[in-house]
Amino acid sequence: MPKLIFSFAPQVRCRVFFTEKMEEHFDPTDESDYIYNGDTIIYYIGNKKRPEVPPALGGVQVRVIEITAFSGTDIEAVKLPEGTEVIS
């Protein structure tokens, strides 16, 4: 199944693309890298340029990513876990 990846570029707020091959390197993250509420990531507060979102935070599966969760950061790309259903 294709993975969902966020990629950020200058003058582009956010572009999303799918890829079959995950040859690029992503850095694992944990609960301390996010502000979240239940199954929703509200904001990324980590310092990794290529974060890999864990499948669960606080024992709850990550299902929702707020569209502004990564705005104002200097990340290059984000790897989302399988099961992420909504980017609001």
Side-chain angles (χ1 to χ4, degrees):
M1 176 174 207
K3 303 284 186 201
L4 180 62
I5 305 291
F6 275 97
S7 179
F8 296 85
Q11 299 178 351
V12 176
R13 185 168 187 196
C14 174
R15 72 183 168 188
V16 178
F17 61 92
F18 290 91
T19 181
E20 288 289 335
K21 295 184 178 182
M22 295 305 301
E23 297 173 2
E24 301 178 54
H25 174 75
F26 288 88
D27 298 308
T29 57
D30 61 34
E31 295 177 6
S32 66
D33 291 308
Y34 302 93
I35 295 173
Y36 62 95
N37 186 4
D39 67 351
T40 303
I41 291 178
I42 299 167
Y43 198 69
Y44 175 68
I45 56 173
N47 59 6
K48 295 176 174 85
K49 297 256 186 200
R50 300 178 65 79
E52 179 177 345
V53 176
L57 294 171
V60 178
Q61 183 179 357
V62 174
R63 294 193 180 274
V64 180
I65 311 281
E66 291 288 336
I67 194 70
T68 57
F70 297 97
S71 65
T73 66
D74 59 352
I75 63 168
E76 298 170 355
V78 176
K79 181 178 176 184
L80 300 178
E82 287 188 42
T84 305
E85 299 173 0
V86 178
I87 300 174
S88 60

